[in-house]
């Protein structure tokens, strides 16, 4: 066994009450817990970055879903990257960087079979939580595989300045989209979409009804809609989709904190005449695309054809604020929590 000095206790976040509507600080507690030394086959990781992701809101509810709910009084898990500080397994050394699923804590002891080694020399460590990680694969697989993107398509993406959306729009442009339109929640984000990410048009969904703004931005209609938002965005997209258009149902963040059923989309019957295909997706179904995704997206990052932004919140004690900020739209690109400062 090899190891470096580690503290005997460290901080971790527990869910202590199930939020109703928007989560509040009292639903969470930052507690100190013993750091367990690794047993045979295990490693101990000092987390450097934690991921906060919209799907975590669903895990705070006690409902059956594709991912089990967080347990009350237990540490919340989630994506994290960090450095190995003790190892009891062959092939993983102290100092190696790894990606794993035990976030929301400073230190994690876990089975070495449950981590993926990553290379901080190829890309900044935090990128493995974003553009080279789960959100990146979501964008890549959702657009190209689920959405069956074709060169010449007109594409609309909502949540377009976020981790997934900013990549969807850029990948569509790189693959030959005729026109890419994005929606986001501030004037700064709208400017970024056009000037920073090369979208052809963008609008602030808070300025006027999505249906009106989308019709103005896409007078010829759209062929593919990548939905991160649901509700009025999905309804507007169903209205704007051309014959045999496709919609990738990736997320519905507009309703994650709702306590009543959403009102729409009210125009789903349009899908019949237009022969639309609306398909839900889960990134976990697309791991077979991982090597192709890393090669292609990694290449675009290296040659500068893909732009990637992060919003970094410093300190494990601010993880809850980072999470709420994500739901509120404080982030451009991927929201991460840095533990290294
Ligand atoms: P983002 O980085 O896009 O962050 C969330 C963004 O949602 C915020 O920045 C905010 O931006 C926007 N938002 C919040 N509330 C609303 C609202 N009421 N209406 C419109 N936009 C809103 O997160 P991700 O890129 O990580 O995730 C994007 C979507 O993809 C989420 O819905 C998520 O659940 C989904 N997802 C699904 C996966 C799957 O396998 N199906 C995997 C990964 C993500 P703004 O300022 O523009 O409002």
């Amino acid at each position: 066994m090899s190891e470096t000095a580690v503290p005997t206790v460290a901080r971790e976040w527990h869910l202590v009450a199930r939020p109703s509507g928007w989560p509040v600080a009292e639903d969470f507690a930052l507690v100190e817990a013993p750091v367990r030394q690794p047993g045979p086959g295990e490693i101990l990781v000092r987390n450097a970055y934690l991921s906060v992701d919209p799907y975590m809101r669903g895990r705070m509810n006690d409902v059956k879903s594709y991912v089990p709910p967080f347990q009350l009084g237990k540490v919340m898990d989630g994506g994290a990257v960090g450095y190995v500080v003790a190892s009891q397994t062959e092939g993983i050394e102290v100092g190696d960087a790894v990606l794993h699923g035990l976030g929301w804590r400073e230190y994690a002891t876990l089975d070495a079979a449950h981590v993926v080694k990553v290379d901080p020399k190829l890309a900044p460590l935090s990128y493995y939580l974003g553009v080279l990680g789960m959100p990146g694969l979501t964008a890549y697989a959702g657009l190209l595989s689920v959405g069956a993107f074709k060169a010449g398509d007109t594409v609309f993406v909502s949540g377009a300045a976020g981790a997934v959306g900013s990549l969807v729009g850029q990948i569509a442009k790189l693959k030959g989209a005729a026109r890419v339109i994005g929606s986001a929640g501030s004037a700064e984000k709208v400017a970024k979409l056009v000037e920073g990410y090369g979208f052809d048009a963008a609008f602030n969904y808070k300025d006027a009804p999505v249906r009106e703004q989308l019709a103005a931005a896409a007078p010829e209609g759209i062929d593919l809609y990548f939905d991160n938002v649901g509700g009025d965005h999905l309804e507007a997209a169903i209205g704007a989709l051309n014959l045999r258009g496709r919609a990738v149902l990736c997320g519905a963040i507009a309703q994650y904190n709702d306590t009543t059923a959403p009102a729409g989309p009210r125009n789903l019957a349009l899908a019949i005449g237009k022969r639309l295909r609306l398909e839900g997706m889960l990134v976990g179904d697309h791991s077979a695309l991982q090597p192709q995704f890393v090669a292609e997206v990694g290449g675009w990052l290296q040659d500068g054809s893909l732009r990637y932004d992060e919003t970094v919140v410093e300190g494990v004690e601010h993880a809850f604020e980072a999470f709420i900020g994500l739901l509120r739209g404080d982030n451009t690109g991927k929201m991460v929590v840095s533990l290294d400062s």
Side-chain angles (χ1 to χ4, degrees), residues 99-116:
L99 168 70
H100 64 89
L102 296 188
W104 292 78
R105 66 188 97 196
E106 290 179 295
Y107 285 84
T109 309
L110 74 167
D111 189 332
H114 296 160
V115 307
V116 177

Side-chain angles (χ1 to χ4, degrees), residues 22 52-55 66 134-135 138 159-165 183-186 189 205-206 226-229 232-233 249-256 281-284 325-335:
W22 280 81
V52 287
D53 296 281
Y55 78 89
Y66 61 92
M134 185 275 281
T138 304
V164 173
S183 69
S186 73
K189 288 186 182 185
Y205 65 86
K206 295 171 182 166
F226 194 105
D227 189 20
N228 288 316
V229 168
D232 58 347
H233 276 83
L249 307 187
C250 174
I253 197 163
Q255 65 200 52
Y256 291 173
M281 75 160 290
L282 286 180
V283 62
L326 172 80
L327 297 180
R328 251 193 334 242
D330 292 354
N331 60 308
T332 297
K334 177 77 182 94
M335 182 73 101

Side-chain angles (χ1 to χ4, degrees), residues 159-232:
V164 173
S166 62
L167 298 173
V168 168
Q170 291 184 82
I171 295 171
K173 287 297 287 185
L174 286 163
K175 291 275 185 184
R179 186 166 171 79
V180 173
I181 300 143
S183 69
S186 73
E188 294 73 26
K189 288 186 182 185
V190 166
K192 179 97 193 198
L193 292 179
V194 176
E195 290 153 24
Y197 301 144
F199 284 49
D200 299 286
F203 60 85
N204 179 349
Y205 65 86
K206 295 171 182 166
D207 282 350
V210 178
R211 184 177 48 78
E212 289 171 15
Q213 298 198 76
L214 180 57
E220 310 286 319
I222 60 173
D223 304 303
L224 176 51
Y225 172 50
F226 194 105
D227 189 20
N228 288 316
V229 168
D232 58 347

